[in-house]
Amino acid sequence: MSPNQSGHNQLNKISVAGLLVTLGIIYGDIGTSPLYVFRSIIGERIITDQLVYGGISCVVWTLTLQTTFKYVFLTLKADNKGEGGIFSLYALVRRYAKWLYVPAIIGAATLLADGIITPPISVASAIEGLGGLKGMETTIVPGNTLTVGIVIAIISLLFFFQRFGTKIVGFAFGPIMLVWFTMIMVLGGVQIIHLPAILKAVNPYYAFDLLVNYPKGFWLLGAVFLCTTGAEALYSDLGHCGRKNIQVSWGFVKTALIINYMGQGAWLLSHHSNTLNGLNPFYELMPHWFLLAGIIIATLATIIASQALISGSFTLISEAISMNFWPRVTIKFPTDVKGQIYIPSLNWILWIGCVGMMLYFRESGHMEAAYGFSIVIAMLMTTMLMSVYMLRVKKWKLSIVTLIMIVFITVEVAFFIANVAKIKQRWMFLFFELGLIFIMVVWFRARKITNRYLQFVRVADYVPRLLGLSSDKDFPKYATHLVYLTKADFDGEIEKRIMHSILHRKPKRAEVYWFVHIDRADAPYTMEYSTKEIVEGKIIRVDFKLGFRVQPRINLLFKMVMQEMYTQSQIRIENKYESLDRKTFHADITYVIIETFLSVENEFSLKEGFIMDSYFSIKNFSQSDQKAFGLDSAATVIEHVPLVINPKVYLPLKRVTDAHHR
């Protein structure tokens, strides 16, 4: 059994520790939604039985259909060697249709875009509760400078600490979220005892009545949808917790959420006022003596929710890079915790986005209108990929898949229409989302175009010339071990430009020529390699097979391969310097990276020209191949060559008679 399989099996075992970790990682977003969902549903409307019962019923059945049935029961089954998320799902189904990259890109981009609104709306909802404390009524006011400043400070600290990783505080996430869910369950339960009739709201009739008979009731779905915005996290963080731990803990979480929503409904019906008058029903459940403690717990829960979302964004971009959907950027590993990464550029983008959101909207109530639109699109994209997974991978009957799709698409299209109505409050975020989609599409399509025009040649045809150069003492020795990264999938082929680099640009004499190929596996954590000696001890190809969540640190991996081949006497590495420790592995290695620039000789169609121009413009801001593949800068040579993809074949150049021949 491989280590990956062992770890996967371990995750699928239910344990107290596993359940606590799951509470801390998975449920931050969906778990803090009671802070603002009911306030958004009621708004400035007159509080009536129809509105309250209908609102609760809609929330209960949204959590049941979307979160429980779609994600916890169905989508969690689509695990990729224990990992989840939209790119893991795409990796499982991409071979069945070329167009599937479109929903994968849209889903990923909208999930990232939603990352700039979850932290501010969650943290602001918690901090605004301080206004209910005696003496703080005029100090902490939603939208005033002090409140906005406190929220921005908390969010800024959260982003600042990303570079250090969350290992130090991560162990506390689970217990804090356990306290949070226990607290909201008790607070809701106390109100239900005072008005047990509220339990009738589980009847779906009340939801139907609200949507059909209440004035403009259908449009309330935009507010109702906020209760399930964290459902994608259940799937994205599958690899950290395991399916069984998520399914078991969801029973407790869903119960706590529904009891709290019902408690808020009971308070609203018992509250002797026609409207909310700016009150948040969530905080009204708390006795005044408990309010400060409750706000502190709520703030900690929203920080955990934000942390989970930021970590998920880092993982998403890391996967996008390995699947050629995103330019290569610097990725760091702040701790030795599996899968924990830090991407400085994305950290800055998310921080600027979150601060901009807070400065623009200023209070959580205004953000509710802008929230949810991105997530419902992401959910629709997951539904599309899931339909292919159920049909082609699981081979379910078409009738069953069709029935499931009708249910999901009906619900999600209804939510989509209700959220589109709120687009006027969030039109500016469309630019952010469209920008992310544009970058991903350009990067993906441009790589397809460049790969299409790559010229490959047979290595065997060049063997005599390579061996001749290697033994020709007239040429100065370029390196003992000369290494090129190749895109050739077949071990008998190599890019023509690599051979041109060795033999023509500047003849490179070496003892051993190495061609290294990296293949991305559909499984997340695969780490395998194979070697083929094209000429024994002289021309060697190494094929790495790395999972899409494994960083390609080729400098380290290649030295491990060389060391293993050396110990098995497949290659010779002589150390002539007695001062060096003979037990230490030493080798003179030079990597050559061929960097391309767009040649002026190309003639593209308008579409391909736009894609390639955009690609090279974006490439200027991306990380170099040397850094991306973890190569030592002291041992790496960069060669710049023109990329000629589609040259003009004929030019009307005509020779005229030279003047002195006349």
Side-chain angles (χ1 to χ4, degrees), residues 265-309:
W267 178 85
L268 283 165
L269 293 176
S270 307
H271 180 55
H272 302 297
S273 175
N274 289 332
T275 61
L276 272 178
N277 291 324
L279 298 175
N280 186 339
F282 177 82
Y283 287 114
E284 297 306 314
L285 302 186
M286 296 183 185
H288 200 271
W289 59 267
F290 183 71
L291 192 57
L292 181 59
I295 291 167
I296 291 170
I297 295 168
T299 305
L300 290 172
T302 57
I303 290 171
I304 291 168
S306 303
Q307 175 59 53
L309 188 130

Side-chain angles (χ1 to χ4, degrees), residues 17 89 136 261 301 328 331 404 467 531 576 644:
L89 182 55
M136 301 283 280
Y261 285 126
R328 293 193 186 102
I331 296 177
I404 292 170
L467 294 178
T531 61
K576 298 176 182 177
V644 183

Side-chain angles (χ1 to χ4, degrees), residues 451-482:
N451 289 343
R452 196 166 75 220
Y453 290 103
L454 267 179
Q455 287 182 289
F456 293 101
V457 293
R458 292 176 68 243
V459 179
D461 294 342
Y462 289 84
V463 164
R465 295 168 70 183
L466 287 172
L467 294 178
L469 177 61
S470 180
S471 59
D472 192 341
K473 305 291 185 185
D474 289 339
F475 286 99
K477 187 172 168 183
Y478 194 83
T480 306
H481 297 272
L482 188 61

Side-chain angles (χ1 to χ4, degrees), residues 57-92:
S57 186
C58 282
V59 166
V60 169
W61 286 99
T62 298
L63 288 173
T64 301
L65 284 173
Q66 279 298 105
T67 317
T68 307
F69 182 48
K70 180 182 174 182
Y71 284 95
V72 175
F73 174 70
L74 202 62
T75 311
L76 287 185
K77 293 182 186 296
D79 70 298
N80 190 337
K81 298 285 191 284
E83 294 294 334
I86 197 153
F87 280 135
S88 292
L89 182 55
Y90 169 69
L92 289 170

Side-chain angles (χ1 to χ4, degrees), residues 437-635:
I437 293 169
F438 173 75
I439 291 171
M440 289 191 185
V441 170
V442 163
W443 204 258
F444 183 76
R445 295 294 304 143
R447 294 302 288 263
K448 291 287 185 187
I449 292 169
T450 54
N451 289 343
R452 196 166 75 220
Y453 290 103
L454 267 179
Q455 287 182 289
F456 293 101
V457 293
R458 292 176 68 243
V459 179
D461 294 342
Y462 289 84
V463 164
R465 295 168 70 183
L466 287 172
L467 294 178
L469 177 61
S470 180
S471 59
D472 192 341
K473 305 291 185 185
D474 289 339
F475 286 99
K477 187 172 168 183
Y478 194 83
T480 306
H481 297 272
L482 188 61
V483 186
Y484 281 85
L485 299 180
T486 175
K487 292 182 179 180
D489 291 326
F490 303 108
D491 54 25
E493 292 184 343
I494 196 74
E495 288 98 319
K496 188 176 181 179
R497 68 189 185 192
I498 289 179
M499 284 306 173
H500 188 271
S501 169
I502 297 172
L503 299 170
H504 300 295
R505 283 183 68 82
K506 178 185 177 183
K508 299 175 177 66
R509 185 166 75 85
E511 295 289 325
V512 187
Y513 294 99
W514 298 81
F515 303 126
V516 174
H517 177 68
I518 302 163
D519 183 27
R520 282 297 184 178
D522 285 344
Y525 291 107
T526 301
M527 288 186 75
E528 300 169 354
Y529 82 91
S530 61
T531 61
K532 180 179 179 179
E533 293 190 79
I534 298 165
V535 175
E536 189 176 354
K538 297 298 287 185
I539 304 173
I540 305 169
R541 175 171 165 127
V542 181
D543 284 276
F544 288 106
K545 190 158 191 171
L546 305 176
F548 60 84
R549 286 197 175 178
V550 175
Q551 295 307 311
R553 289 181 273 189
I554 298 304
N555 196 54
L556 176 62
L557 296 173
F558 180 67
K559 282 186 176 177
M560 290 172 69
V561 171
M562 286 185 74
Q563 192 161 12
E564 193 163 317
M565 292 183 74
Y566 173 65
T567 56
Q568 294 176 8
S569 302
Q570 290 177 281
I571 55 171
R572 291 172 59 197
I573 297 173
E574 295 178 3
N575 180 11
K576 298 176 182 177
Y577 302 97
E578 296 296 331
S579 60
L580 294 177
D581 184 356
R582 289 183 178 276
K583 293 179 182 177
T584 306
F585 181 77
H586 294 283
D588 165 28
I589 304 169
T590 298
Y591 299 94
V592 178
I593 296 287
I594 298 176
E595 288 276 1
T596 56
F597 59 89
L598 198 59
S599 171
V600 294
E601 294 178 26
N602 289 297
E603 279 214 347
F604 292 114
S605 66
L606 190 65
K607 177 184 172 185
E608 288 196 346
F610 176 72
I611 289 173
M612 294 310 297
D613 286 338
S614 302
Y615 171 74
F616 277 94
S617 297
I618 296 167
K619 199 169 187 279
N620 291 328
F621 299 98
S622 68
Q623 192 182 41
S624 67
D625 283 354
Q626 175 214 313
K627 285 188 176 179
F629 291 115
L631 301 179
D632 186 352
S633 58

